[in-house]
Amino acid sequence: MLKSKYYVWFLLILITVSCDSNSVFDQYRSMPNQWHKDSVVSFKITPPDTINNYNLFVNLRNTNDYKYSNLFLVVELNYPNGKTFKDTLEYRMAAPDGTFLGTGFTDVKENKLWYKGYDKPFVFNEAGEYQVNIQHAMRENGEVYGVLNLEGITDVGFRVEQYNTN
């Protein structure tokens, strides 16, 4: 009986992993209770090649403690040879009625947010290690200073997928 239980778990894990064949890189960093405005979440990526096209995503998990309908992020992409691109991005996190976007059946919603590749394919055109830095840039309406501790974001991730035209 115990042997068949392990077999079922193995099959479930295998099916889950095999269904995600487009993934080249997919990592998360857990946030403690809050995401401090000065806290930078970093990922180091060594792409498999310098010729193929890729889609890049910022992945977030949020709970009902997240009290905004949008999210501003500063995402910095550092190339192996020293070039840096820094983008300030805004993402919708909730529908107009306040219902959180994203997937998930519990109070945790997973959001797969486009970073690069949505308008034209992204190519890692330099060989070596890239670094992605992600920082929140949330502000209260009318306030100059940012939200010191952003509540409701439990995990920040970064994902690279093989380019898919669908």
Side-chain angles (χ1 to χ4, degrees):
M1 178 69 176
L2 186 62
K3 196 176 201 182
S4 64
K5 192 179 205 179
Y6 286 118
Y7 181 72
V8 169
W9 277 110
F10 176 76
L11 280 178
L12 286 173
I13 291 170
L14 183 64
I15 289 168
T16 302
V17 171
S18 65
C19 290
D20 196 12
S21 62
N22 286 339
S23 178
V24 173
F25 178 90
D26 194 7
Q27 286 186 4
Y28 281 88
R29 304 278 188 268
S30 292
M31 296 287 99
N33 299 324
Q34 303 168 337
W35 188 3
H36 191 274
K37 72 176 185 71
D38 295 330
S39 177
V40 177
V41 181
S42 296
F43 300 93
K44 293 186 182 223
I45 303 163
T46 303
D49 61 66
T50 59
I51 56 173
N52 286 311
N53 298 324
Y54 294 95
N55 295 324
L56 298 124
F57 300 92
V58 174
N59 291 335
L60 294 170
R61 293 185 183 123
N62 68 286
T63 66
N64 292 332
D65 292 332
Y66 189 75
K67 60 183 181 179
Y68 303 97
S69 63
N70 64 349
L71 176 67
F72 285 91
L73 297 176
V74 175
V75 181
E76 180 181 88
L77 179 61
N78 297 313
Y79 283 65
N81 295 328
K83 183 170 49 175
T84 298
F85 285 102
K86 196 173 207 176
D87 297 299
T88 302
L89 308 166
E90 179 183 13
Y91 296 104
R92 273 189 28 189
M93 298 293 287
D97 68 357
T99 304
F100 281 118
L101 304 175
T103 59
F105 296 109
T106 65
D107 69 333
V108 176
K109 296 296 180 196
E110 183 147 357
N111 299 274
K112 185 176 176 182
L113 310 170
W114 278 102
Y115 173 49
K116 297 211 179 275
Y118 56 90
D119 55 351
K120 66 177 185 173
F122 180 80
V123 176
F124 291 100
N125 56 13
E126 294 179 11
E129 185 178 76
Y130 290 71
Q131 182 166 322
V132 176
N133 299 315
I134 304 169
Q135 186 174 15
H136 87 77
M138 290 299 292
R139 309 256 184 283
E140 295 284 347
N141 281 338
E143 295 293 321
V144 174
Y145 300 104
V147 173
L148 185 63
N149 291 302
L150 186 61
E151 297 178 354
I153 301 292
T154 61
D155 300 278
V156 178
F158 195 77
R159 180 177 173 90
V160 177
E161 292 180 357
Q162 294 174 358
Y163 180 71
N164 188 346
T165 57
N166 297 334

